[in-house]
Amino acid sequence: MATVRLDQKKRAIVRDIPSSYTKALARFFGTGPTNVDLARQQQLAYVHALEANGVAVHRLDADEAHPDCMFVEDQAVVVDGHMLLPTPGHPSRVAEQPPIADFLMQALEGVQTCTMGGEARMDGGDIIRLGNLFFVGRSSRTNDLGIVSLQSLLDFFGYELRVIDIPDHALHLTSICSTPTDTMVLVPEGYLSPSDFGQLPTGCELIWIPSEEAYGCNTIGLPNGKVMVAEGYPAVKKALHDRGLETIEIDMSEIRAADGSLTCCSIFY
Ligand code: CIR
């Protein structure tokens, strides 16, 4: 999940993959998953990588009625112990939320929770955090009313929010972008431009990656300084290695097949 700083990544939830996963939505990077066993193996490797690097992982049960339920990032936005439960932007995904919300409300005892009403829509996958500066994608899943709800939460903390229009050939902001550290943003050429981000705080950097590695721009930075990356994206690896970061590669082929990236598969809380 992209709304916590590196030092806040101590605990995460993931959700098991249902047998119905072959019916998951796929319109962008993926052509639809075909091998549920392989997807489960890849998710297990993902969980092991998190655990091996100091993150305590809780697994929620799969929901057979919701093929996309493993993509928990979209369902809850946790910021400094507060939580926004967005109304997800795709109707088929709305009912995935209650078990995730219930778990987080218990785990984050006394958490201040807000929900969205009316026509507001947002997927958590449209948000990234660079220190205390937030970016939100205005996308096919996240609308202006959803962005207003997020703004209200961030106003409480005094954090700035900048809006980025997501091009039609991408699903979410996190589909094409991530913050492997609290001072770096990985961005693909051909999707976004420097003006989308505006002036970054001193010491922060946009790292441009060739467009053919757009999927690889989604990474998970870990508190120990290592970065989880999808296997098969050499320019992403090199950019991180050049900056002194160690990478952990995860085979994401059957998760990518459903347009899912590394951050989509967990919520840090
Ligand atoms: C969907 O289309 O909603 C899922 N198949 C993929 C969701 C990926 N989530 C994310 O980028 N945060």
Side-chain angles (χ1 to χ4, degrees), residues 5 19 38 48-49 53 56 70 89-90 96 108 123 127 143 165 172 177 189 204 206 222-223 227 236 261 267:
R5 292 189 314 267
S19 302
L38 181 56
H48 287 159
N53 288 283
M70 77 164 300
H90 196 285
E96 291 172 25
L108 295 165
D123 280 2
I127 308 166
N143 64 17
D165 284 311
H172 288 138
C177 217
E189 292 159 0
C204 293
L206 290 177
L222 295 165
V227 183
V236 170
S261 308
I267 301 175

Side-chain angles (χ1 to χ4, degrees), residues 24-26 68 71 73-74 90 93 123-126 141 171-172 174-175 258-261 263-264:
L25 300 168
D68 285 292
F71 300 120
E73 176 183 55
D74 297 320
H90 196 285
R93 300 204 53 203
D123 280 2
D126 266 316
R141 301 286 176 87
L171 172 58
H172 288 138
T174 58
S175 309
D259 289 340
S261 308
T263 61
C264 318

Side-chain angles (χ1 to χ4, degrees), residues 146-168:
I147 292 170
V148 169
S149 295
L150 177 64
Q151 180 79 66
S152 307
L153 172 64
L154 298 180
D155 282 349
F156 174 81
F157 294 104
Y159 295 154
E160 186 186 352
L161 178 65
R162 299 182 187 171
V163 181
I164 295 180
D165 284 311
I166 302 304
D168 290 343

